[in-house]
Amino acid sequence: MTDSPLDRRRHARFPLGLPVDVRLEGRRTPLMVELLDVSESGARFQTMGQQVDLAARATFGFVMPDRPSCQAHGLVVRADASGQFVLALDATNESFVGFIRLLEAES
């Protein structure tokens, strides 16, 4: 019998598939990426083949109808050769928090 791995996530993840611009520290232009999923404390993205460095600082945002722009900032804590990377969020605005609360209420 095999044990399934323990899910250590602190917050629920919500799938999005939303195109967003990510501004990475050290890059002049933002990357257009797909925001695959988001939680209160993190976000997972897919690039179009670009590599993202571990420990880079990044900022992203998006606009939802009837609310101000959702903004978040964090540190790249995981990146792989497929172009996926994960941010551990350390700063979000009220609109971002409200968006997450809305997703929680709908699930």
Side-chain angles (χ1 to χ4, degrees), residues 50-91:
Q50 300 95 333
Q51 294 299 307
V52 174
D53 296 329
L54 280 175
R57 305 286 311 161
T59 301
F60 71 98
F62 53 91
V63 178
M64 299 303 295
D66 301 327
R67 58 178 60 238
S69 178
C70 298
Q71 299 289 319
H73 183 79
L75 182 71
V76 176
V77 294
R78 192 171 34 224
D80 64 28
S82 75
Q84 283 195 21
F85 67 99
V86 175
L87 287 183
L89 303 179
D90 51 29

Side-chain angles (χ1 to χ4, degrees), residues 92-103:
T92 59
N93 68 0
E94 286 184 37
S95 293
F96 186 90
V97 173
F99 176 69
I100 296 295
R101 296 292 175 259
L102 181 65
L103 293 174

